[in-house]
Amino acid sequence: MQFISVVSVPVSDQDRAKSFYLDKLGFDLIAESTFGDEMRWIQVGIPGAQTSLTLVTWFDEMPPGSLRGLVIDCEDLDKEYRALTERGVAFLGPPSQQPGGVFAILSDPDGNLISLRQAGS
């Protein structure tokens, strides 16, 4: 094994999710194509990162909004928190010290929760 390349994020509306991840979070669009019976592969990622996300609608066992436990590291969490809040990203609360660093948890339009973390603080 080498690395985790793609994590599936369950969403109800791929266009709305794509807009959120690109316009609000600042991710890049890596790939977008159709496959199967009118299904779409939409892959987004943090610029320069090795791991990306695919915005999925086709896993019955992964209902929209069920993602938990995804952690994205930040160099300056306070700066990211302020910038994302100004862009309308909803957080569960301000950054707080937790075991493993300082964390702030954001919610995408479907309620998927993503933790931003600054390690070593």
Side-chain angles (χ1 to χ4, degrees):
M1 290 186 245
Q2 293 180 307
F3 57 88
I4 296 170
S5 61
V6 179
V7 174
S8 295
V9 178
V11 301
S12 60
D13 180 324
Q14 287 178 303
D15 289 321
R16 180 180 69 172
K18 178 178 135 184
S19 176
F20 174 81
Y21 284 89
L22 299 182
D23 301 337
K24 300 282 186 183
L25 296 187
F27 284 30
D28 286 338
L29 180 63
I30 295 170
E32 183 171 2
S33 60
T34 57
F35 67 98
D37 295 332
E38 299 181 25
M39 290 193 283
R40 292 170 59 203
W41 178 268
I42 299 176
Q43 186 177 354
V44 299
I46 298 168
Q50 191 169 24
T51 303
S52 61
L53 306 177
T54 185
L55 309 174
V56 302
T57 57
W58 54 84
F59 292 124
D60 292 337
E61 62 278 0
M62 290 177 67
S66 64
L67 178 74
R68 302 290 186 271
L70 182 65
V71 178
I72 299 173
D73 276 358
C74 303
E75 286 185 32
D76 185 339
L77 180 56
D78 286 329
K79 179 180 174 183
E80 290 288 344
Y81 176 80
R82 284 191 307 275
L84 293 174
T85 300
E86 287 174 6
R87 285 189 242 154
V89 174
F91 283 85
L92 300 186
S96 65
Q97 182 70 49
Q98 303 293 325
V102 177
F103 288 82
I105 301 170
L106 67 87
S107 177
D108 78 0
D110 283 292
N112 292 300
L113 299 181
I114 300 171
S115 297
L116 301 184
R117 175 181 83 125
Q118 183 174 335
S121 297

